[in-house]
Amino acid sequence: MDVITTHDNADFDGLSAMIAAARIYPNAVMVLEPPMTPAVRDFLALHKDRFQPKRPVDIALNDIEKLVVVDGRRTSRLRSIAPLLRHIRANPGAVEVHLYDHRPAAVDDLHGEVEVIEKVGACTTLLVEMLRFADFQLDEVEATALAVGIYLDTGSLTWPSTHSRDIDAVGWLMGQGASLRVVGRYVRAALTVSQRHIEAKIIEGLESHWSGGVELALSVAQLDHGTAGLAELV
């Protein structure tokens, strides 16, 4: 069995990179552990007939021959598959590890036989380039899901981390049938009442400081309860 997974509290770039990887690794099973961002949860609920990730507890460690990790290789952000990582460390060579990521290196990074680590705005872009090079054909749902991942991880292609490769990837996905109308629903998702309350707290507590010619904006907000989608809000 081959397994595809992403970092804890999966965001849409993680999910869309998993969907792309599932085309590249057709015999692999997607594995995802809650919690996840609201956009990911809603998408999977809407398309449960197409995408049904298993939970880590449903996978027998001894059956795994290949582990594919997308959009995150830090072991501290892969706690949901900690038993699998311990199994890999205890049995060198038993599991082949493939990594796809666009984040900076860290001291607790997982390493593998295949490592595609490049500085682009979204990890999904790396997988889209592989699909495009291999002349894969996507349907509208797949192409749209991949486009959403790129849009959300690049601030709709406006953040400084956005690369021209992200834009090229979106262009190819549109040619594959990606619906910008659907993408817009996820990009312009309305905040919940709880999120708006927290947003107000963050803005009210905002303080600016200058350090070494750089302006730093800091805010501390104490919450009375957990709130879904906090990462996207911040």
Side-chain angles (χ1 to χ4, degrees), residues 47-60:
H47 297 286
K48 58 185 176 182
D49 59 318
R50 290 283 307 273
F51 310 108
Q52 294 183 324
K54 293 183 178 293
R55 299 186 65 172
V57 294
D58 299 325
I59 304 298

Side-chain angles (χ1 to χ4, degrees), residues 30-84:
M30 293 197 298
V31 174
L32 199 59
E33 178 73 80
M36 55 194 71
T37 62
V40 171
R41 181 194 62 223
D42 294 346
F43 179 87
L44 290 176
L46 181 62
H47 297 286
K48 58 185 176 182
D49 59 318
R50 290 283 307 273
F51 310 108
Q52 294 183 324
K54 293 183 178 293
R55 299 186 65 172
V57 294
D58 299 325
I59 304 298
L61 298 184
N62 292 332
D63 292 341
I64 298 175
E65 297 179 347
K66 184 180 296 176
L67 170 65
V68 181
V69 181
V70 298
D71 195 33
R73 61 196 189 278
R74 296 189 63 175
T75 55
S76 58
R77 297 199 68 199
L78 297 170
R79 292 188 297 271
S80 63
I81 60 166
L84 174 56

Side-chain angles (χ1 to χ4, degrees), residues 211-223:
S211 178
V214 176
E215 185 179 17
L216 306 177
L218 308 175
S219 182
V220 176
Q222 183 171 344
L223 310 183

Side-chain angles (χ1 to χ4, degrees), residues 86-103:
R86 289 195 294 270
H87 172 72
I88 291 173
R89 287 193 293 267
N91 301 276
V95 180
E96 187 176 338
V97 178
H98 292 199
L99 304 172
Y100 298 87
D101 199 6
H102 67 129
R103 305 173 189 277

Side-chain angles (χ1 to χ4, degrees), residues 72-151:
R73 61 196 189 278
R74 296 189 63 175
T75 55
S76 58
R77 297 199 68 199
L78 297 170
R79 292 188 297 271
S80 63
I81 60 166
L84 174 56
L85 298 183
R86 289 195 294 270
H87 172 72
I88 291 173
R89 287 193 293 267
N91 301 276
V95 180
E96 187 176 338
V97 178
H98 292 199
L99 304 172
Y100 298 87
D101 199 6
H102 67 129
R103 305 173 189 277
V107 294
D108 62 335
D109 281 349
L110 180 66
H111 294 283
E113 287 76 10
V114 173
E115 296 189 6
V116 180
I117 315 296
E118 299 186 38
K119 191 177 181 180
V120 291
C123 182
T124 301
T125 294
L126 302 177
L127 282 302
V128 167
E129 289 176 341
M130 295 178 66
L131 293 172
R132 183 178 184 179
F133 180 79
D135 201 26
F136 275 81
Q137 299 298 308
L138 307 182
D139 61 33
E140 181 178 345
V141 173
E142 291 172 319
T144 301
L146 271 54
V148 171
I150 296 175
Y151 265 80

Side-chain angles (χ1 to χ4, degrees), residues 162-194:
T162 304
H163 195 282
S164 60
R165 292 164 63 181
D166 300 301
I167 299 171
D168 290 341
V170 168
W172 182 76
L173 290 171
M174 289 182 64
Q176 294 286 303
S179 168
L180 290 184
R181 177 177 57 83
V182 176
V183 171
R185 294 177 188 169
Y186 289 93
V187 171
R188 296 188 298 271
L191 296 179
T192 65
V193 173
S194 178

